[in-house]
Amino acid sequence: MVRRIDVTGADGVRLAAWEFAEPPKGRSETDHAPGVLLLHGLMGRASHWASTARWLTERHRAVALDQRGHGRSEKPAEGPFTREAYVADAEAAVEQLNLAPVTLIGHSMGALTAWQLAAKRPDLVQAVVICDMRASALGAASQREWEDWFKSWPVPFTTLADVRKWFGEDDPWVERPSPARGEFFAEVMAERADGWRPVFSRRQMLKSRETWVYDAHWEELAQVQCPTLVVRGLDGELGRAEAQEMVRVLPHGQYAEVADAGHLVHYDQPEGWRMAVETFLDGVLTS
């Protein structure tokens, strides 16, 4: 069972949060299960966390947030799409949904939001999972690459099969066929009169990205006082050396890597992802 809950984010932006499943086993409706807020990456949506949420709900109250500009949440024409806005939105979700003390699980951009919120509001956050997100600056060249990549998309796609094939095989960024990547992008497409198009604005995605891509985020990482797990896919965007340096900078950092996984760790290797996260949560949330 999944139910939608509306959240009012920063600047009054309407956000869609999605609570998964029944109360955790062995608990009644009135018991307060440990709260988990799942934060997708750039271009993602809450439904990308469905398989993760299914096993989390065995012992936790799992909620995934469609962040501003994504999924079913509001997409204000001019934003703001700043880091401050994304962090304030997540903060509002934790408070309005009574999730604190919360575990934040974030992928890519959502992981950055997670550790920035943990640094800002340590009173709300009891643990953080960072999935394949770099703390170093990516720079102007990276942003230009993304601009060119977005222009290369052959939209509209005629069918969802075409979406899966292009993102899983034909996209120049794909080094080897990746059905999981095809499925990931199929989830963020909607059918229009002329074919299938993304549910987000690529212009807004670039605007969101430019607010963090030029800066490093080590200082905020060092301010995270709760236990934090850094997870990387062996073939992901976060290199091993940088991941281990992130663990060193974190006051209470732990490290895990998932074999045969790229950037989309939770899609590429869901079982390896589950083992890494559950092992961490068992250690830090068991009192």
Side-chain angles (χ1 to χ4, degrees):
M1 182 184 77
V2 182
R3 69 181 180 114
R4 173 176 171 166
I5 310 170
D6 286 338
V7 171
T8 302
D11 312 299
V13 171
R14 179 192 53 76
L15 305 170
W18 305 86
E19 183 165 6
F20 289 82
E22 305 292 341
K25 294 176 183 177
R27 295 178 183 269
S28 70
E29 291 280 359
T30 57
D31 288 338
H32 186 67
V36 176
L37 183 65
L38 297 147
L39 299 168
H40 60 73
L42 192 73
M43 303 181 295
R45 66 187 308 173
S47 58
H48 280 146
W49 292 115
S51 63
T52 297
R54 275 195 287 273
W55 52 261
L56 278 172
T57 54
E58 294 175 7
R59 296 192 303 178
H60 303 83
R61 182 185 174 206
V63 178
L65 182 67
D66 276 334
Q67 296 172 79
R68 61 175 56 211
H70 297 75
R72 299 282 184 87
S73 288
E74 192 175 347
K75 303 169 178 63
E78 299 305 322
F81 295 102
T82 61
R83 284 283 80 223
E84 292 77 12
Y86 278 106
V87 173
D89 287 346
E91 181 180 2
V94 172
E95 292 185 324
Q96 292 173 33
L97 301 177
N98 193 29
L99 291 171
V102 71
T103 295
L104 299 173
I105 299 179
H107 173 246
S108 195
M109 181 190 75
L112 176 58
T113 300
W115 89 62
Q116 288 181 324
L117 176 55
K120 177 187 177 185
R121 291 292 307 273
D123 56 308
L124 293 182
V125 184
Q126 67 175 340
V128 174
V129 176
I130 296 169
C131 180
D132 217 67
M133 179 61 185
R134 298 176 62 182
S136 60
L138 301 180
S142 173
Q143 190 72 351
R144 288 193 298 270
E145 288 174 0
W146 273 68
E147 291 173 3
D148 292 341
W149 179 56
F150 276 146
K151 291 174 184 175
S152 76
W153 290 18
V155 291
F157 294 91
T158 304
T159 67
L160 272 182
D162 293 327
V163 173
R164 294 185 180 97
K165 185 176 188 302
W166 195 83
F167 286 102
E169 299 177 26
D170 300 337
D171 182 349
W173 282 16
V174 174
E175 295 181 356
R176 60 178 181 268
S178 173
R181 190 173 187 268
E183 290 298 332
F184 185 93
F185 279 96
E187 189 70 20
V188 293
M189 297 289 162
E191 190 172 19
R192 312 295 187 201
D194 60 348
W196 292 82
R197 293 180 177 273
V199 299
F200 50 80
S201 159
R202 285 171 285 175
R203 179 186 65 83
Q204 290 183 351
M205 295 301 98
L206 285 172
K207 182 169 284 193
S208 295
R209 195 173 187 272
E210 73 182 11
T211 66
W212 53 264
V213 72
Y214 302 116
D215 301 315
H217 305 282
W218 295 98
E219 184 176 344
E220 290 152 306
L221 200 68
Q223 295 169 5
V224 176
Q225 295 301 314
C226 61
T228 302
L229 176 68
V230 178
V231 184
R232 63 178 290 268
L234 200 60
D235 301 313
E237 296 177 11
L238 174 61
R240 179 177 291 158
E242 182 169 350
Q244 292 178 342
E245 179 63 11
M246 289 169 67
V247 171
R248 189 193 69 79
V249 167
L250 284 158
H252 304 285
Q254 298 181 37
Y255 175 75
E257 64 182 33
V258 179
D260 299 318
H263 180 56
L264 305 175
V265 181
H266 51 312
Y267 260 61
D268 290 336
Q269 293 295 334
E271 289 305 314
W273 160 251
R274 177 177 181 172
M275 181 177 296
V277 175
E278 279 195 323
T279 300
F280 169 71
L281 294 182
D282 285 347
V284 302
L285 300 183
T286 303
S287 55

